[in-house]
Structure formats: structure tokens, C-alpha cells
């Protein structure tokens, strides 16, 4: 006797959304087939919930009460709001690309005088020309059974495609700014692809922001294909509105003797989940992954990593910090898999949480899965309150209690901020941290 799974209001709404949207989403027969297969997989399992191990701390089925209608293409008023939106890196000289309400807006993007070897165009154009939605070069790194990702595959309408030719070194960082302007709650599904050729180097900065008092929903994915001996620095700053639900997937396949550096910074959003699926596919590659979450109120932020060492002599370092105030909740899940043949792997993972109230919560679940015998792997996790001896030491030197606490928090988060190679990025992240500290009561 079969057991029928009862669909929630949100799952039924997503099914209706797909049936309506599939008629006008970009792409020909091949892309439509990919979308249809992806939605069938989602429809079979529904929204992720706590009985799914990878989502045990973030029950999206319970947290997502309803599906919002897809955001309309930005009109002149929306573009004007986006133009006026605070630019975290204003004056830094970065090349800014604007994604407004889920659509790539060329007239607001800096597309003039592209460096030789750099091409940029809208994902909607790539889909309209019937290119497959998923990069075939990513292979097994795409977790086809992840419900959030397959839903993104089914409904993604736009985003940006960035290609850096082999041997090209971009001196100017690229800032992809995702801005939500609509006060009426809507949903946005975006997909982006960044292809870094062999021997090339680039810095990609991704920011997400939107209005407070609007329970809009974001499901975004970015694919990174990094060639041999290439270098990429990826920085993601999540500062959505206080009612937003934000789910993001970063999918990276990295070649041999490459350098992969990723830094995530979370401040805004009611529910945030940033998940990274990283495959070190070539020998001798080095990956450095850092993240920090500054949470207050009833925020929920989940950082989930799945890192596969698929080749020999690769090194990875993962360092995550969370500062949790009020009744907020921080989640860290990290899994390192060392494949057979990936000898001489050197992988270390650390998660630390600083709880500022008795009601704050931090959950940490590091994992190692090793199928090779000549490796150095380790993980650790700590959770605790501010060190009273250190606070007393500062107060004994005339520093008020609140300022002493702020200094200790700055020192705690500073290790992550220092992981940014660009001084302008460090300065912007420091300003965000100081602003968060200044708003604490």
C-alpha cells in the first residue's frame, strides 16, 4: 500500500507557479526538458525538512508558509530604486553588474570597456539560445537531489554569465549586485555561471539586499568552473531585508594547481541558507573558505558545506565564525569527503560560535568521510559566551563594558575579514561589522 505525502500550501503554490511560469521562462526544447526533469524531482520530495539529514537544522517546509508569485520585470520605478540603493563598494572602482528583482539590467550595469578576454551577458540570453541550464563540465558536483537546487533549475529565469579567457588576469573586481526593490512580497529565482579559464584570475563579489518588512523569497545559484592554474576570489555578502527568506547554492568545480578562495558574510534576512558544493578535481589545488554570521532578533542562518577532494595533494581550510544575539540561531554543517586516490590530502575545518544571550543557539555538525590512507584531516567546533576575564581585563583599563564587548567581538570576527585579499573588501566588511555592533542595544 503506497503512502501519499501531503503537500503543504507552499508546495502546492510552487507547483502552480511552475505550471504558469514554464510558458514564458527562457529556453527552447533542451532547456525546457531540463526544467521539467528538475521540477519532477522536486515534486517527488517537496520542500526540505528536518528528516532530511542535510536540512535537519533548517526545516524549510515549516519555515516557508506559502509560495510568492514571481517578481515582474523591473519597470522604470524599480530601476530608479535600484540605482539609488546603497552600494557597499561605492567608490571602490569595481565593475558593477545589476540584477534587479531577478532580472539582469544592462543599462544599470558597467559593461563599457571590457578587458580583453572578458565577456559578460545575461543568463536569459544564454537560455534563449537553448544552451543547457547546467554546465556539463560540473559533472557530479551538482547534487541533483538537493530540493532547493532542483527548484532553482526549474524556475531560474535570469542571472549573469561571466567568462574569463585562459591566461587573463582581471585587475578590476566584478561586483554582481542583487537588489530587490518590490515591497509586495514576491519570489526570485536566479542562476549565474562564471567560467575562469586556465591560468586566469578574477575576483567576483556577490551582494544581496532588499527592503525590510517584506517577506520576499530568494532562491539563487551560481556555478563556478575554474581551470587549471587559475585563481578565483569569491566574496558573498548577504544583507537581505528583515523578513526575507534567502537560499543560495554555490557550485564550484576547480582544476589542478588552482587557488580557490571563498568568503561569506551574513547580516540580514529572516531565514538564510548558504550552501557550497565544492569539488577539487585536479591535483595540487588549494582552497581557503571562510564565513561569518552576525545574527540578532529571531534570525536563522545556515552555512552548509560539502567539499570533495577528488585528486591528490590538495589542501583545504574552512573557518566559520558566528556571533549570535537575542533568540537568533546559527547553523554550521561541513562535510569533507576524500575520494579514493586523493592521497596527500590536507584538510582542516573549524567552526566557532559566540553566544551573546541565554536564548541564542548555535548548532554545529562537522563530518569527515575518508577513502584514502595517506591524508591529514581534522575538524573542531567550539561554542561559548564572551570570555569574562578578557572583558574584565579591558574594563580594568578604563574601557566601558559595552565597548569592551564590542572589541572582543571585533577580534573574534576579524580573522574571517582578514581572509579577504582586497583591502577595499576588508574595509567594507569592517564597516558592516561596526554598523551591526552599533545597532546592538
Amino acid at each position: 500500500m503506497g503512502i501519499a505525502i501531503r503537500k503543504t500550501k507552499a508546495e502546492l503554490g510552487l507547483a502552480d507557479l511552475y505550471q504558469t511560469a514554464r510558458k514564458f521562462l527562457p529556453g527552447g526544447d533542451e532547456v525546457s526538458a531540463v526544467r521539467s526533469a528538475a521540477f519532477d524531482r522536486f515534486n517527488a520530495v517537496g520542500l526540505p525538512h528536518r528528516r532530511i539529514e542535510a536540512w535537519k537544522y533548517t526545516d524549510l517546509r515549516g519555515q516557508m508558509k506559502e509560495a510568492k508569485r514571481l517578481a515582474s520585470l523591473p519597470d522604470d520605478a524599480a530601476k530608479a530604486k535600484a540605482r539609488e540603493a546603497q552600494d557597499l563598494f561605492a567608490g571602490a572602482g569595481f565593475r558593477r553588474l545589476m540584477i534587479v528583482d531577478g532580472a539582469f539590467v544592462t543599462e544599470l550595469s558597467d559593461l563599457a570597456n571590457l578587458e580583453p578576454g572578458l565577456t559578460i551577458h545575461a543568463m536569459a540570453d544564454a537560455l534563449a539560445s537553448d544552451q543547457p541550464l547546467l554546465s556539463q563540465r560540473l559533472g557530479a558536483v551538482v547534487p541533483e537531489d538537493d530540493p532547493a537546487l532542483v527548484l532553482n533549475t526549474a524556475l531560474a529565469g535570469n542571472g549573469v554569465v561571466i567568462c574569463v579567457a585562459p591566461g587573463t588576469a582581471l585587475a578590476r573586481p566584478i561586483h554582481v549586485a542583487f537588489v530587490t526593490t518590490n515591497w509586495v512580497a514576491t519570489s526570485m529565482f536566479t542562476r549565474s555561471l562564471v567560467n575562469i579559464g586556465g591560468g586566469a584570475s578574477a575576483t567576483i563579489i556577490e551582494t544581496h539586499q532588499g527592503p525590510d518588512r517584506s517577506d520576499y523569497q530568494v532562491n539563487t545559484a551560481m556555478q563556478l568552473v575554474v581551470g587549471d592554474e587559475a585563481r578565483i576570489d569569491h566574496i558573498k555578502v548577504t544583507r537581505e531585508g528583515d523578513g526575507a527568506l534567502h537560499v543560495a547554492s554555490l557550485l564550484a568545480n576547480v582544476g589542478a594547481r588552482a587557488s580557490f578562495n571563498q568568503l561569506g558574510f551574513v547580516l540580514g534576512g529572516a531565514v538564510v541558507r548558504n550552501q557550497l558544493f565544492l569539488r577539487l578535481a585536479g591535483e595540487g589545488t588549494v582552497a581557503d573558505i571562510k564565513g561569518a554570521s552576525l545574527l540578532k532578533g529571531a534570525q536563522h542562518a545556515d552555512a552548509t558545506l560539502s567539499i570533495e577532494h577528488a585528486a591528490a595533494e590538495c589542501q583545504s581550510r574552512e573557518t566559520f565564525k558566528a556571533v549570535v544575539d537575542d533568540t537568533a540561531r546559527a547553523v554550521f554543517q561541513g562535510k569533507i569527503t576524500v575520494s579514493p586516490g586523493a592521497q596527500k590530502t590536507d584538510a582542516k575545518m573549524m567552526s566557532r560560535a559566540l553566544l551573546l544571550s541565554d536564548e541564542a543557539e548555535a548548532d554545529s555538525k562537522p563530518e569527515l568521510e575518508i577513502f584514502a590512507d595517506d591524508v591529514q584531516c581534522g575538524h573542531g567546533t567550539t561554542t561559548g559566551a564572551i570570555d569574562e576575564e578578557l572583558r574584565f581585563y579591558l574594563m580594568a583599563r578604563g574601557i566601558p563594558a559595552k565597548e569592551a564587548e564590542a572589541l572582543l567581538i571585533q577580534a573574534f570576527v576579524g580573522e574571517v575579514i582578514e581572509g579577504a585579499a582586497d583591502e577595499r573588501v576588508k574595509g567594507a566588511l569592517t564597516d558592516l561589522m561596526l554598523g551591526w555592533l552599533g545597532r546592538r542595544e
Side-chain angles (χ1 to χ4, degrees):
M1 180 176 174
I3 298 176
I5 299 176
R6 183 178 179 180
K7 298 291 185 180
T8 66
K9 181 180 179 181
E11 289 166 341
L12 293 172
L14 288 168
D16 292 340
L17 192 67
Y18 172 71
Q19 293 302 326
T20 301
R22 63 186 301 182
K23 303 171 185 176
F24 57 82
L25 286 170
D29 292 340
E30 288 189 31
V31 173
S32 294
V34 172
R35 292 187 189 279
S36 179
F39 189 79
D40 287 345
R41 290 197 297 273
F42 171 78
N43 201 40
V45 298
L47 289 167
H49 49 83
R50 60 178 180 239
R51 293 185 180 179
I52 298 176
E53 183 63 24
W55 290 80
K56 65 180 294 185
Y57 298 113
T58 303
D59 186 354
L60 201 59
R61 180 174 289 172
Q63 292 162 330
M64 186 174 175
K65 302 303 182 184
E66 61 180 347
K68 310 297 183 182
R69 65 175 178 83
L70 287 178
S72 303
L73 290 174
D75 56 17
D76 290 341
K79 293 175 184 177
K81 289 180 183 178
R83 188 181 290 110
E84 297 168 359
Q86 180 189 8
D87 183 359
L88 181 60
F89 301 102
F94 298 166
R95 184 181 296 280
R96 193 182 191 205
L97 308 178
M98 293 290 295
I99 313 290
V100 181
D101 297 334
F104 181 43
V105 181
T106 56
E107 61 264 38
L108 297 182
S109 300
D110 183 1
L111 299 174
N113 302 316
L114 295 182
E115 296 94 321
L118 171 64
T119 60
I120 299 171
H121 56 276
M123 174 61 82
D125 294 338
L127 297 178
S129 62
D130 217 19
Q131 298 177 21
L133 189 61
L134 301 177
S135 170
Q136 297 302 314
R137 294 172 61 184
L138 280 170
V141 85
V142 178
E144 296 184 357
D145 59 345
D146 182 78
L149 183 59
V150 296
L151 187 60
N152 177 277
T153 301
L155 287 166
N158 213 334
V160 64
V161 178
I162 301 170
C163 295
V164 183
T168 301
L170 296 183
R172 190 180 178 191
I174 297 175
H175 174 201
V176 186
F178 294 79
V179 180
T180 299
T181 67
N182 200 337
W183 289 91
V184 177
T186 55
S187 61
M188 285 140 285
F189 296 82
T190 58
R191 191 65 163 257
S192 297
L193 171 65
V194 179
N195 194 330
I196 310 296
S201 62
T203 297
I204 306 295
I205 301 167
E206 184 184 350
T207 62
H208 294 260
Q209 66 185 92
D212 288 333
R213 300 178 297 281
S214 173
D215 57 341
Y216 62 91
Q217 299 169 357
V218 172
N219 184 327
T220 184
M222 179 176 284
Q223 297 171 248
L224 301 178
V225 182
V226 184
D228 295 346
E229 300 178 354
R231 175 188 175 96
I232 183 166
D233 293 272
H234 177 264
I235 298 97
K236 180 172 187 278
V237 181
T238 307
R239 50 183 186 138
E240 300 281 18
D242 57 14
L245 186 154
H246 177 101
V247 179
S249 303
L250 180 63
L251 317 168
N253 190 77
V254 185
R257 300 172 301 282
S259 177
F260 176 85
N261 303 296
Q262 204 273 332
L263 190 156
F265 209 75
V266 177
L267 295 98
V271 177
V272 175
R273 177 172 166 115
N274 286 315
Q275 49 185 14
L276 167 64
F277 302 95
L278 169 63
R279 186 169 189 264
L280 304 180
E283 295 184 358
T285 286
V286 176
D288 185 48
I289 303 161
K290 289 183 168 63
S293 298
L294 302 176
L295 309 177
K296 61 182 181 178
Q299 285 182 281
H300 177 109
D302 179 341
T304 293
L305 317 179
S306 177
I307 300 168
E308 180 189 0
H309 283 256
E313 299 184 1
C314 291
Q315 174 182 295
S316 69
R317 295 288 185 270
E318 295 81 37
T319 304
F320 278 74
K321 303 285 188 75
V323 180
V324 195
D325 204 354
D326 303 322
T327 60
R329 185 183 189 186
V331 175
F332 172 80
Q333 298 182 107
K335 181 178 181 180
I336 296 175
T337 302
V338 181
S339 300
Q343 305 293 352
K344 306 294 183 182
T345 287
D346 181 0
K348 292 180 175 62
M349 179 189 302
M350 175 57 74
S351 167
R352 292 191 172 99
L354 185 62
L355 304 182
L356 303 182
S357 80
D358 293 338
E359 293 77 29
E361 181 178 342
D363 300 289
S364 183
K365 190 183 72 170
E367 299 177 75
L368 296 174
E369 195 171 58
I370 301 172
F371 299 99
D373 54 14
D374 186 7
V375 302
Q376 296 184 49
C377 294
H379 62 68
T381 181
T382 63
T383 300
I386 285 179
D387 191 314
E388 291 298 332
E389 291 186 4
L390 290 177
R391 177 156 50 186
F392 177 79
Y393 176 86
L394 294 174
M395 292 174 63
R397 279 147 183 79
I399 300 175
K402 185 175 180 180
E403 293 181 20
E405 189 172 281
L407 286 173
L408 293 174
I409 295 172
Q410 288 181 53
F412 180 76
V413 180
E415 180 183 359
V416 171
I417 293 177
E418 286 300 315
D422 193 294
E423 292 297 327
R424 294 164 293 185
V425 173
K426 289 182 185 178
L429 296 182
T430 300
D431 289 344
L432 285 177
M433 175 182 62
L434 294 176
W436 185 87
L437 289 170
R439 291 188 293 273
R440 285 191 68 218
E441 296 182 356

